[in-house]
Amino acid sequence: MANKFAIVTGASSGIGYELAQVCAREGFDLLVAADTADINEAAEAFRAHGVSVDAVLADLATLNGVDSLYAAAQGRKVDALLANAGHGLGRGFLEQSFDDVRHVIDTNITGTIYLVQKVASDMRSRGGGRILITGSIAGFMPGTYQAVYNGTKAFIDSFSFALRAELKDTGVTVTCLMPGATETDFFARADLLDTKVGQSEKDDPADVAKVGFDAMMRGDGDIVSGWKNKLFSAIANITPAAILAEQHRKMAEPGSAEKS
Ligand SMILES: NC(=O)c1ccc[n+]([C@@H]2O[C@H](COP(=O)([O-])OP(=O)(O)OC[C@H]3O[C@@H](n4cnc5c(N)ncnc54)[C@H](OP(=O)(O)O)[C@@H]3O)[C@@H](O)[C@H]2O)c1
């Protein structure tokens, strides 16, 4: 019998790398994507599990990039889509370059939902499939000094639940993985290393990926990884947005690492 087949985006590092590792361990053939050549080295590591792995280097902030990833699947039945690629952007909104701002939105939202629409529509026609979208507990909180990023994750968290409801009874499940701060390249890439959150103790990306994969396979609606993050999200749900925005300032204001 042929292996199952999964597409994992943002698989060159961090949570996506670990998601692809779990999929490969569980016997999924893989199509993986990222925006740097590191994806080729990662693909080698996934092949060590004895599954077939194709890698695509594409900027998934662009529709062309997503088209090239989708084309690389060559019409093969996708059993699981793990739409994980994304990045942050620290500092004050007025200090950010608008090209960078737009790249965050185009990666985390536009490219993500474009890929999800294509793959989910094939899954619905075939009557089954699993989708895991990496949102974040950041979506529960206005992201002072990471305003655009948190906004994109609020979008993704919300979108994921809505699509799940639309696809009820089609055999296609949509699960939102909502990690808290996790030890990956995310904070360096978002220029958050001089912040309190950038220097805080973080979760292990392999643990986060495993709980996300398991939730996807169970077909759960969402999974907040880690008990501290579960507690945080429960409190955030009943805390006024203005208070949350002030709390986020303390974590993400440039230089806040020195004040802690
Ligand atoms: N780390 C955290 O604390 C945390 C918490 C909650 C949610 N998340 C979410 O988890 C996901 C993975 O992030 P991570 O923490 O694992 O960070 P990471 O180590 O920086 O990994 C991000 C991955 O996404 C890829 N990527 C980013 N922009 C891309 C683009 N435009 N086109 C193609 N690939 C792109 C990166 O590939 P290249 O490097 O090749 O561009 C990399 O493979 C993101 O959606 C992030 O928002 C992270």
Side-chain angles (χ1 to χ4, degrees), residues 27-228:
F28 282 81
D29 287 340
L30 291 174
L31 174 60
V32 293
D35 196 20
T36 62
D38 291 350
I39 194 63
N40 297 318
E41 208 177 306
E44 270 310 307
F46 308 146
R47 283 186 195 108
H49 298 285
V51 294
S52 128
V53 182
D54 287 319
V56 170
L57 203 162
D59 183 357
L60 299 175
T62 66
L63 300 191
N64 284 344
V66 175
D67 284 336
S68 71
L69 171 60
Y70 181 73
Q74 297 182 316
R76 183 168 173 188
K77 173 177 172 256
V78 179
D79 298 290
L81 168 65
L82 296 89
N84 162 83
H87 66 93
L89 184 63
R91 314 270 145 193
F93 175 64
L94 299 188
E95 275 65 63
Q96 295 170 343
S97 118
F98 199 75
D99 285 346
D100 292 345
V101 164
R102 188 155 176 201
H103 199 266
V104 174
I105 296 169
D106 288 348
T107 303
N108 298 7
I109 298 180
T110 314
T112 299
I113 66 169
Y114 183 50
L115 179 64
V116 167
Q117 191 184 52
K118 282 173 171 293
V119 176
S121 132
D122 295 340
M123 286 176 168
R124 184 175 63 178
S125 305
R126 288 170 174 150
R130 302 259 184 249
I131 298 173
L132 181 72
I133 309 179
T134 306
S136 175
I137 63 167
F140 300 141
M141 187 172 200
T144 314
Y145 294 109
Q146 228 208 152
V148 173
Y149 172 77
N150 283 38
T152 65
K153 291 298 171 177
F155 179 106
I156 286 298
D157 294 351
S158 164
F159 169 82
S160 181
F161 276 107
L163 182 62
R164 176 183 175 81
E166 288 182 24
L167 294 180
K168 194 173 152 228
D169 303 327
T170 64
V172 182
T173 59
V174 182
T175 304
C176 189
L177 169 60
M178 300 171 179
T182 305
E183 197 60 65
T184 70
D185 295 344
F186 178 92
F187 296 90
R189 187 168 176 168
D191 197 11
L192 286 164
L193 289 182
D194 66 341
T195 65
K196 193 171 172 186
V197 63
Q199 293 302 322
S200 68
E201 198 183 322
K202 302 184 185 65
D203 296 333
D204 180 341
D207 295 342
V208 172
K210 181 70 171 72
V211 297
F213 178 86
D214 290 346
M216 175 186 80
M217 295 311 286
R218 286 193 303 268
D220 292 350
D222 66 311
I223 179 77
V224 174
S225 50
W227 69 266
K228 280 189 198 157

Side-chain angles (χ1 to χ4, degrees), residues 232-251:
F232 163 79
S233 45
I235 294 170
N237 270 328
I238 51 162
T239 305
I243 293 177
L244 292 171
E246 275 311 312
Q247 284 175 353
H248 203 279
R249 168 201 293 281
K250 291 181 191 136
M251 294 193 306

